[in-house]
Amino acid sequence: MAELGLVANPGVANLAKLAEQALADETALPPYARAALSIMVRQIMALTEEIGALDRQLMEWHMASEASRRLAAIPGVGIVTATAVAATVTDPEQFTSGRQFAAWLGLTPRQHSTGGRTRLGGISKQGDRYLRRLLVVGATAVMRHNKDKTTPMANWIRKLLEKKPFRLASVALANKLARIAWVVLTRGEVYRPQAAVA
C-alpha cells in the first residue's frame, strides 16, 4: 500500500480505514493489489472477531475464579496474567514460600558459590517461561506508570533504580510480584499494598 502512495498510522482501526478508502476508489489500486488487499482485510476482520470471542471467554473465566479476581488486584497483574497464574498454580501450597514460587518461575538469581564466597548471577530462567514473561511485562508497566507516584512500591522502585539498570529492576519487581501473588493465593486474602510492599 505504501508503494502505491497509501499510508496510515499503525493499528487495526487505522488499517481498516485505509483499506476502506483504498477499496472505495476503483482507480486507487491495480486489480492484483485490490484482490490481495480484500483477502487480507477479510482475514484480519475474522481474526479480530475470534480474538474478541476469546477475550470474552477469558473474562468469563476470570469472573468465575475467585483466585484470579484476587490476583488481578495486584499492580502489574492484569486479567491475562491473573488467569494464567490461577490456571497454572492450582495448588499454591506446593510451594513452601514466595521465594520458592519465584524460583519455580525462574525469577530468582542463580548462585555461583565457591570457597565460602556466594555470588549471584542473572535469573535462572527455569520454570514457566510464559508466566515469567507476563510478570516481567507487568512489572515494566508498573515501573513506567509509577514514576511520579509516592506509594511504597514507587519509592521501592526509585531506590532500586538508583543502584540498578531498568531491566534488572523490572525483573526484581517481577520477583516481588510473584511473591505477592503467592501470598494472595495461599492466604486467600485480597492484596493490600501497604502490608505487601513494606
Side-chain angles (χ1 to χ4, degrees):
M1 301 276 292
E3 291 176 7
L4 299 169
L6 297 169
V7 293
N9 291 331
V12 174
N14 293 323
L15 178 64
K17 290 177 191 173
L18 179 67
E20 185 179 317
Q21 174 189 357
L23 293 173
D25 184 4
E26 294 284 332
T27 61
L29 296 173
Y32 63 87
R34 188 177 189 73
L37 177 63
S38 61
I39 290 169
M40 286 192 282
V41 167
R42 281 195 307 271
Q43 288 177 343
I44 290 169
M45 293 307 165
L47 285 174
T48 303
E49 285 179 28
E50 288 181 33
I51 290 169
L54 288 173
D55 282 344
R56 287 187 293 277
Q57 288 176 1
L58 191 65
M59 181 57 88
E60 288 173 14
W61 192 92
H62 170 71
M63 295 308 289
S65 169
E66 182 187 343
S68 181
R69 287 193 314 269
R70 280 189 277 114
L71 287 167
I74 301 169
V77 178
I79 292 171
V80 174
T81 305
T83 54
V85 171
T88 305
V89 185
T90 54
D91 180 20
E93 299 290 332
Q94 66 185 329
F95 305 104
T96 57
S97 66
R99 187 187 193 297
Q100 190 182 40
F101 178 59
W104 179 74
L105 291 171
L107 288 169
T108 54
R110 257 185 266 148
Q111 289 188 4
H112 304 284
S113 303
T114 180
R117 276 190 187 168
T118 301
R119 291 187 330 195
L120 299 177
I123 59 172
S124 65
K125 295 188 180 179
Q126 302 292 318
D128 195 317
R129 172 185 273 173
Y130 180 64
L131 290 181
R132 184 174 58 251
R133 185 177 298 142
L134 287 174
L135 286 168
V136 170
V137 167
T140 304
V142 167
M143 289 175 66
R144 291 201 170 119
H145 182 71
N146 282 329
K147 281 182 187 173
D148 302 325
K149 304 232 169 129
T150 57
T151 63
M153 185 174 284
N155 294 337
W156 181 84
I157 291 168
R158 272 192 290 280
K159 284 181 186 174
L160 189 61
L161 284 172
E162 289 172 4
K163 301 179 273 185
K164 304 289 182 188
F166 186 87
R167 191 74 181 137
L168 195 84
S170 68
V171 172
L173 180 57
N175 182 320
K176 184 181 269 298
L177 294 178
R179 291 173 185 228
I180 293 169
W182 178 81
V183 169
V184 166
L185 286 172
T186 54
R187 295 186 187 165
E189 297 176 359
V190 178
Y191 170 71
R192 294 187 314 271
Q194 299 290 352
V197 177

